Amino acid sequence: MKLTKKSHACVRLEKDGRTLVLDPGGFSEEDAALGADAILVTHEHPDHFDELRLRAAMEHNPAAGIWTLKAVAEKISAAFPGRVHTVGHGDTFTAAGFDVQVHGELHAVIHPDIPRITNVGYLVDGGKVFHPGDALTVPDHPVETLMLPVMAPWSKISEIIDYVRELNPERAYDIHDALLTDLARPIYDRQIGQLGGSDHLRLTPGESAEV
């Protein structure tokens, strides 16, 4: 499976000539979802869900579909009847030849005064890749490649390190990194790499790896 990092939280997975895109949000490239056979969206925040990017991908490929939670599906399903699928924790499905399990229910706490929204994570091909969205969800299945939300308004680095320790993946690639400055990256790389217990890796936008 080929994994390509796009800006911020967006990831493209390619296998057997088909493409699965996760979270092509407003911080990602305008063409981040173009060419997708299937798109997964973890939650409604604009850095993960951008309607214009989804519409462009769906219009570009009339056979493409979207799998997402209710809050996002309600915003776009009318435009693409029968092509937007609502999923939740515990669901399993196949999209573009990828087997997907849904894990998690709520976004991480940003502040007690801010109501929590729904958020789901996607475990792809039996644990080959796990994208948790904006939550530190622990699936009930081993994870080979964790897409690690490395920096967010709702997290601190100790929580991220403990999350890597708890999941104990073979490798963790940074996502959710648009707000992380180049000055801070070496600090995160060193501390997560030394303390997390797993290979901690980073791809620049557009860079790919085999997983």
Side-chain angles (χ1 to χ4, degrees), residues 87 111 117 164 198:
V87 298
H111 186 276
I117 63 169
V164 176
S198 300

Side-chain angles (χ1 to χ4, degrees), residues 199-210:
D199 285 341
H200 176 240
L201 306 163
R202 180 157 45 85
L203 298 171
T204 58
E207 191 175 2
S208 300
E210 295 294 325

Side-chain angles (χ1 to χ4, degrees), residues 67-69 85-94 99-104 120-123:
W67 282 258
T68 187
L69 40 65
H85 312 277
T86 302
V87 298
H89 176 70
D91 288 342
T92 61
F93 59 92
T94 300
D99 295 325
V100 183
Q101 300 174 17
V102 184
H103 292 269
V120 295
Y122 297 105
L123 188 76

Side-chain angles (χ1 to χ4, degrees), residues 6 12 24 28-35 53 56:
K6 306 299 285 185
R12 293 176 69 99
S28 302
E29 297 79 1
E30 290 187 5
D31 63 352
L34 287 186
R53 285 161 174 74

Side-chain angles (χ1 to χ4, degrees), residues 55 75 78 87 91 96 100 102 105 116 125 129-130 138 143 148 154 165 180 182 196 198:
R55 285 179 177 271
K75 299 177 187 295
V87 298
D91 288 342
V100 183
V102 184
E105 298 180 90
R116 295 176 74 180
D125 279 359
V129 175
F130 181 56
V138 178
V143 174
L148 178 66
W154 46 264
R165 286 180 172 181
L180 187 63
D182 288 340
S198 300

Side-chain angles (χ1 to χ4, degrees), residues 107-128:
H107 192 286
V109 175
I110 301 171
H111 186 276
D113 290 352
I114 300 175
R116 295 176 74 180
I117 63 169
T118 50
N119 176 97
V120 295
Y122 297 105
L123 188 76
V124 180
D125 279 359
K128 281 285 186 184

